[in-house]
Amino acid sequence: MENTRLVELLHYFEGEEGHIFYHFENQEKYLQNVITFITSGVKLGSKIILIENDRNISRIKETLNNKLNPSEIAKVLFINNFDFYFENKCFDPQRIYAYYKQSIQPSLDNNIPVWTWGLVEWGDDKEILNQIEIYEKKVDRFVNEKGIISVCAYDKTRTPNGLKEMLIKCHSVMLTDDTIIFPSKIDTSFG
């Protein structure tokens, strides 16, 4: 089932940058939104970079096989989020940001629009919260500079309030399972 509010939001950002903080609670709605994001982007000619856990990648691929043809699925780059964020067993914002840019730059060099979706997960390490802020601020500047649509997904049950507030400030929009919220710096809103 396609989330029409998410589709509206993606069309709103089409041709412009959109750094979206997705604060999700419901796993099924989350997966529906991932599928909506991917299919919308592919149909609009974008390369999709999906940074996701293996369990979700398997379910997403299974659903995409029923919605997209093989050449459309080939436009999706699947990256394991643990490998992406914790390659050296730690969340290193400099390394992660460099990997993010490296994954995107070839498409940008060929004038292919890029949409990214990253599920950010971490263990019990409280020190990581400062590292996430550094990374998100770097991504925000890059997304704005390059005109990329990028969703950064965080599980509501694992996101402390301080991190949530910082994430709201680093993104142009906050998406939940059922709502779209534009921070006060943007006057536009959806009904």
Side-chain angles (χ1 to χ4, degrees):
M1 178 177 204
E2 191 169 86
N3 180 335
T4 56
R5 293 179 72 67
L6 178 58
V7 171
E8 284 179 36
L9 181 63
L10 295 172
H11 283 291
Y12 173 80
F13 283 121
E14 189 179 345
E16 299 180 24
E17 80 285 341
H19 195 201
I20 302 165
F21 163 40
Y22 181 17
H23 205 217
F24 70 94
E25 204 168 2
N26 180 298
Q27 184 66 23
E28 289 308 310
K29 287 183 180 181
Y30 171 82
L31 290 170
Q32 289 170 5
N33 282 327
V34 173
I35 297 299
T36 297
F37 179 86
I38 292 170
T39 56
S40 296
V42 166
K43 299 289 185 188
L44 291 170
S46 293
K47 169 82 174 183
I48 307 297
I49 297 174
L50 180 68
I51 304 160
E52 187 57 79
N53 66 43
D54 284 339
R55 180 183 65 259
N56 288 345
I57 286 175
S58 176
R59 291 184 66 193
I60 291 163
K61 283 182 175 180
E62 185 178 310
T63 303
L64 289 177
N65 284 330
N66 296 320
K67 292 186 172 279
L68 300 174
N69 65 46
S71 67
E72 290 172 325
I73 291 174
K75 294 178 181 180
V76 183
L77 174 61
F78 296 91
I79 301 173
N80 173 279
N81 66 345
F82 185 80
D83 294 340
F84 185 84
Y85 295 116
F86 294 98
E87 181 181 50
N88 295 326
K89 307 254 188 275
C90 69
F91 192 99
D92 177 0
Q94 305 299 337
R95 184 203 53 78
I96 299 166
Y97 175 68
Y99 188 15
Y100 180 82
K101 281 178 53 177
Q102 175 189 356
S103 300
I104 292 169
Q105 200 60 53
S107 295
L108 296 177
D109 290 345
N110 289 306
N111 295 315
I112 300 169
V114 178
W115 291 14
T116 68
W117 182 292
L119 174 61
V120 183
E121 296 178 304
W122 63 94
D124 294 327
D125 185 1
K126 302 283 188 242
E127 299 299 314
I128 197 172
L129 303 181
N130 293 331
Q131 303 303 328
I132 290 172
E133 180 175 9
I134 293 167
Y135 169 72
E136 286 287 0
K137 286 180 177 178
K138 286 178 166 295
V139 169
D140 189 55
R141 282 190 297 273
F142 185 73
V143 163
N144 288 319
E145 179 184 304
K146 301 295 185 182
I148 296 167
I149 294 179
S150 181
V151 174
C152 302
Y154 290 81
D155 185 331
K156 185 176 183 178
T157 62
R158 303 206 58 239
T159 308
N161 279 335
L163 178 59
K164 175 186 172 187
E165 296 306 315
M166 181 279 299
L167 292 167
I168 289 170
K169 291 176 186 172
C170 289
H171 294 81
S172 45
V173 170
M174 180 177 156
L175 175 67
T176 68
D177 292 327
D178 301 308
T179 62
I180 297 169
I181 304 162
F182 284 87
S184 60
K185 65 182 178 177
I186 296 178
D187 296 328
T188 311
S189 93
F190 288 92

